[in-house]
Each structure stands twice: as structure tokens, then as C-alpha cells.
Amino acid sequence: MEGRPPRLASLDVLRGLTIVGMIVVNSASYLHYVSGYAQFAALEHAAWRGFTVADAVFPAFVFMTGVSIPLALAGRGNGLDGATLRRLLVRSGRLFLLGLILSNLYWMATPESVLFRPMGVLQRLALAFLAAGVLYKTVGPRARLVLAAAILLLYWPLTLAPFPDGATDLLKPGANFVGWFDRWVLGAHVYVPGPLGYDPEGLLSTLPAIAQALLGVAAGEWLLAPKSSKERGSSGLLVAGVAAIAAGLVWGVVFPISKELWTSSFVLLSTGIALVLLAGLHQVLDVKALRPPGTTFLTDFGINAVFAYSLHMLASIMLTAHMLKIPYRWATPVVGDRTAALIPVAIFVGLIWMVLAYMRRRGWIVKV
């Protein structure tokens, strides 16, 4: 059996940056809807089509889930043996179960007033991880890229397919076959209710997320491949990232960029951004072995990413604490309500980091 490849600092930092972004976006949204705080438009998800900073966060984590697969499974021999399959099933099952719990905290507290939600962020990650992991061990690199491209290409006509009792309009939320399929299978349990209800982490829209994870697998393999120069790893990722961004923007003219529908143009654009960031971080952290300020902070989030995400979900009620409202009120006349609203969020992120930093010092890494 081959040895495990070394841990990539760039992947830990990018994963940490993504988790911090998730916490900031979710916390700002929580304060906006629960406490009425103002919010920067960049921290809000696009209503249906379009792309904001907030929309770049979740797909980056899907992409990095794929990047981590070759690093985790490269030393486990060729082919999909029983032990590896069990490992993939157990890990994805635990992640899906954790997602069910976190997606339904309010349902567990008040089941009479909140509907159970079967899908969610971690559930999508679990399904993408399982599919990409199985394909990594059973299908060659070129075939996986062809499969990812086929999924992205075929998803387009799938969204345009006619559906019962409605007319397809990709510019109208839920007016497509993918949304209808969610309503048909999930019924009242879709995240967005109504006659055109849908789930942004729904069933068929998980298919392009699997393709995105496969693109991540290809990036992970590229980083592991022997090269005459380490800089080639960074430059290859950069070129691929710029090309993906351009392709996503061009495709988005006819196939709208939409996180809610997880369109193929959205996959290419968000994957391209993640590739560019990974290329820069790989050059600085892995090739030149530099450690700029903030590296340790982001690494602490990156090595315990799922724990950090779960902790922020469980502790988000802290954002409405009286003590966190005081600096918001003090700062509002000076910096404005939108900037002031970020102060409780920054304190919340800092509190979570204190827990993660302690875990890192003790050598504790929570693996789901």
C-alpha cells in the first residue's frame, strides 16, 4: 500500500476561509431576519439568478470535498474494495445524519409549527462525497471528467423539460422540471413552499453538485501528480480556474447562473473562483512555504470544518444576546448600521475560533 500524501496547507486554509465565509453569511442573515439588522447586499444570496459573494461559499466547499478525496484515498490501493466502500458509506451516512439533525433543530423543538426538512447543506455534501468517492475508485480520470461534463451538459435540457401544470421559465423561481420533481417527491417538505415550491439543496439539483465534486477530484489529482516544477501545479489550477470562470459567464447568458437551481453555469463560475483561490494559496503556502498573517486562524477552521459549521449552527442563538447588541448600538452612529451589524458576527466568529484553536493545540480533529 502506498503512503498517504502530505496534508496540503492550501486546502486547509481554503476550507477554513470557506467555513468562515459560511458562518459570516449565515450569521449576518440570522441577525437580519431575526433582529432586523441591516445587511450588505454582497452577504445576501441572489434571490433566484445572479451571483454574490455569499453564493460562492457553499459550492467552494462542494469543490473542496472533491479535492480532498484523492488525498484521503490515494494510499488505499486501486479499485473499490469492501473496506473502502464501507468507509465511504459510513462517512457519508454520518454526514447525512448530522445534516438531518442540523436542518431540523426547529422542527425537533416545535414539530407542530415547523415542517421536517430532509435535504440541506450537509446532506448535499454527503451525497456528492459518496458519488465522487465511489467514482474515484472505479473510473479513470478522463472518464470522470467526461462524466462531469456530461452531467453539466444534460442538466441544462433537464431544467427545460416540460412539467405538469406549469410552463417552464428559468427566470421564474420553481418554474422548471427540477423544482416540480422536488414538489412531487418531497411534497410539503420543500424548503421554499407554494405552488412553485422547490428546495435549493434538492434532489435533481444534486446531480450538478456531484459534477462539481468530480471537478474537485481532478484538481486534487493534479496537485498529487508528479511534475517537473511545483509551480506547474499552481499555474495549471490558475489556467483551469480562469477558463471555468469565462465558460460559466458565457454559458450564463443562455443558462442563467443560479445557486437555487445549481445550474451548470453556476457550477463552472463558482468552481473557477475556487480554483483561482486554490492556485494562489498553493503557490504561497505549499510551494513557497510562506505563512502570511491569518494562516493559523483559517487553518484552525479548516482542519475541523464540519465541527465548526455544526457549532455555529447550534450556537447561533448567541447572536441575539444582549451583550452582543451593545457594540452594535455604539458603533452604528459611527460606521453605519450595515458595518455595525458585522461586529456581533465578528465576535461570534472569534468565540468559535477560540474553541477551534484550543482543539488544535490539543491535537483534536473531529472527523465525521
Side-chain angles (χ1 to χ4, degrees), residues 108-122:
M108 288 185 285
T110 56
E112 69 282 353
S113 58
V114 180
L115 285 174
F116 179 83
R117 186 188 181 200
M119 299 300 290
V121 170
L122 295 186

Side-chain angles (χ1 to χ4, degrees), residues 6-218:
R7 194 174 187 102
L8 291 177
S10 56
L11 185 58
D12 285 335
V13 169
L14 183 55
R15 191 185 290 114
L17 179 63
T18 301
I19 288 297
V20 171
M22 275 189 175
I23 296 174
V24 170
V25 168
N26 290 345
S27 300
S29 178
Y30 183 86
L31 285 174
H32 176 67
Y33 289 104
V34 174
S35 300
Y37 287 15
Q39 186 179 13
F40 284 107
L43 296 180
E44 298 182 56
H45 291 293
W48 173 252
R49 60 175 178 147
F51 196 85
T52 68
V53 173
D55 293 322
V57 176
F58 183 23
F61 205 86
V62 175
F63 168 78
M64 283 183 291
T65 297
V67 177
S68 66
I69 287 173
L71 278 69
L73 300 180
R76 293 184 174 269
N78 297 321
L80 183 64
D81 55 37
T84 302
L85 179 58
R86 284 193 298 272
R87 184 169 181 258
L88 291 171
L89 288 170
V90 168
R91 186 174 182 185
S92 61
R94 289 196 302 241
L95 193 59
F96 197 96
L97 178 60
L98 179 60
L100 280 178
I101 294 171
L102 295 177
S103 298
N104 292 285
L105 292 174
Y106 290 108
W107 174 80
M108 288 185 285
T110 56
E112 69 282 353
S113 58
V114 180
L115 285 174
F116 179 83
R117 186 188 181 200
M119 299 300 290
V121 170
L122 295 186
Q123 293 94 308
R124 170 160 288 181
L125 283 175
L127 295 174
F129 167 78
L130 177 60
V134 169
L135 289 168
Y136 171 71
K137 299 301 291 184
T138 57
V139 179
R142 183 173 298 178
R144 288 196 302 270
L145 282 176
V146 170
L147 179 60
I151 292 173
L152 294 179
L153 286 170
L154 293 175
Y155 185 64
W156 187 13
L158 183 65
T159 62
L160 293 171
F163 64 96
D165 304 323
T168 300
D169 184 356
L170 295 186
L171 302 182
K172 185 177 181 181
N176 54 77
F177 181 82
V178 173
W180 170 83
F181 190 82
D182 283 340
R183 295 190 294 274
W184 180 55
V185 177
L186 302 177
H189 301 282
V190 292
Y191 185 71
V192 178
L196 289 178
Y198 63 93
D199 197 308
E201 286 84 45
L203 302 169
L204 293 181
S205 60
T206 298
L207 291 172
I210 292 172
Q212 187 159 38
L214 289 175
L215 296 177
V217 170

Side-chain angles (χ1 to χ4, degrees), residues 290-327:
L290 301 176
R291 294 297 182 266
T295 299
T296 301
F297 171 79
L298 293 175
T299 300
D300 289 342
F301 280 89
I303 61 178
N304 273 305
V306 175
F307 179 85
Y309 176 83
S310 303
L311 180 60
H312 108 274
M313 292 286 288
L314 294 170
S316 58
I317 190 66
M318 291 175 56
L319 288 162
T320 59
H322 177 71
M323 292 297 293
L324 292 185
K325 293 179 180 179
I326 295 175

